[in-house]
Amino acid sequence: MRERKSRRADREKKGISTQGLQTGGVVAALVAAVAIFVGMVQLEKRVLTQYEKGTIYIALCQIPRGVEITGQNYGQYFQARELDRSCIPATALGMPEQVEGLVPVWDIEPGVLLTQGMFQTQEDILRDLKEPVVAGFKAEDLYQVAGGVLRAGDRVHIYAVQEQKTVLVWPDVYVQQVFDASGKAIANEDGNTAAQRVNIYLDREDVESFYAQLANGSLRVVKCVKSIENLRSWQEE
């Protein structure tokens, strides 16, 4: 009788021990599953961060040099795109307000990724002038205009014909605005209309001499064409 009770007690102890082992195994498996889940969540976060999207802007159409970017016209020229952040340059435009009030340094072709180095301020344009003022001339008053149509934002060299020699008097002059025969400002997008009147920036001290030589019909204006090397160096800045 005692032997039978002893065997029963042994069986009960073994059952309890087996049940404990099973419970411990379940808990261990659960802990392992939780650890794996947390690891996968962290990995997913790292992957998502790596491919996180950012907003950039590209040129929707050609943006002519000299056009001032405003809150009213940026929608005409800029188009938002999403791109992986790892592919976005540090100088890329993330919002149009970054260049509001600025003008393009050169003509920007459609589809080009827009960066801050493609635009400049009014201060940049006039930084080499002591006291900038706007001077104007009519095309008919010049000795010659060469180099193609002029538009706002262009640069011109102004030469004077003296004793049958052509002398460079004012280099790299900024064109402030151009007008047609009726006095209407010509849009930079218009590549055909000839400018009949041109406004430029000069130093105040040069204005008197400019108009005196203009009256003599001795001035020649030549449009500057920026080299690819210059454009690249401006963009890198």
Side-chain angles (χ1 to χ4, degrees):
M1 185 71 176
R2 290 180 180 176
E3 184 178 353
R4 186 181 300 173
K5 289 182 179 180
S6 179
R7 287 198 299 268
R8 184 184 300 171
D10 290 340
R11 287 197 299 269
E12 289 177 355
K13 288 180 181 180
K14 289 180 179 180
I16 293 172
S17 178
T18 303
Q19 185 178 1
L21 289 174
Q22 291 176 345
T23 302
V26 170
V27 172
L30 181 60
V31 170
V34 171
I36 293 173
F37 175 76
V38 171
M40 292 180 65
V41 169
Q42 294 299 324
L43 178 61
E44 183 180 13
K45 286 184 178 180
R46 287 196 295 270
V47 171
L48 290 177
T49 300
Q50 182 179 358
Y51 294 100
E52 185 178 356
K53 298 293 184 180
T55 300
I56 53 113
Y57 283 85
I58 65 169
L60 181 59
C61 60
Q62 182 175 12
I63 308 176
R65 79 174 88 178
V67 171
E68 181 180 358
I69 303 303
T70 67
Q72 288 71 42
N73 69 10
Y74 75 74
Q76 173 185 347
Y77 295 119
F78 295 177
Q79 184 177 44
R81 290 283 179 86
E82 284 192 343
L83 195 66
D84 290 339
R85 286 195 178 277
S86 60
C87 300
I88 298 178
T91 57
L93 297 186
M95 57 183 65
E97 290 78 4
Q98 288 178 270
V99 293
E100 189 167 337
L102 307 187
V103 298
V105 176
W106 62 87
D107 293 339
I108 302 174
E109 296 301 317
V112 171
L113 172 65
L114 300 175
T115 63
Q116 297 173 37
M118 296 178 179
F119 301 86
Q120 61 183 353
T121 66
Q122 189 80 353
E123 289 73 19
D124 291 332
I125 295 171
L126 305 178
R127 62 185 172 185
D128 294 328
L129 300 179
K130 298 177 184 177
E131 190 177 357
V133 296
V134 176
F137 60 85
K138 295 180 180 179
E140 61 191 46
D141 294 333
L142 295 173
Y143 173 78
Q144 186 182 20
V145 179
V149 297
L150 294 178
R151 292 294 180 265
D154 283 337
R155 298 273 182 168
V156 296
H157 294 322
I158 301 179
Y159 297 83
V161 179
Q162 302 172 355
E163 300 179 355
Q164 297 184 344
K165 293 183 179 180
T166 302
V167 179
L168 177 61
V169 183
W170 294 286
D172 206 31
V173 175
Y174 188 86
V175 176
Q176 186 259 350
Q177 188 55 274
V178 297
F179 306 87
D180 61 19
S182 67
K184 180 181 178 181
I186 304 174
N188 284 51
E189 294 86 349
D190 182 348
N192 299 315
T193 304
Q196 298 300 316
R197 181 174 179 82
V198 180
N199 285 353
I200 58 175
Y201 283 113
L202 286 177
D203 258 324
R204 183 178 293 278
E205 63 185 23
D206 294 326
V207 171
E208 183 177 353
S209 175
F210 171 78
Y211 281 117
Q213 296 185 66
L214 184 65
N216 292 332
S218 61
L219 294 184
R220 180 188 185 204
V221 170
V222 178
K223 180 179 178 180
C224 303
V225 178
K226 298 297 182 183
S227 68
I228 295 299
E229 289 73 18
N230 283 340
L231 298 184
R232 288 174 178 168
S233 65
W234 289 355
Q235 187 172 12
E236 290 173 356
E237 292 175 2

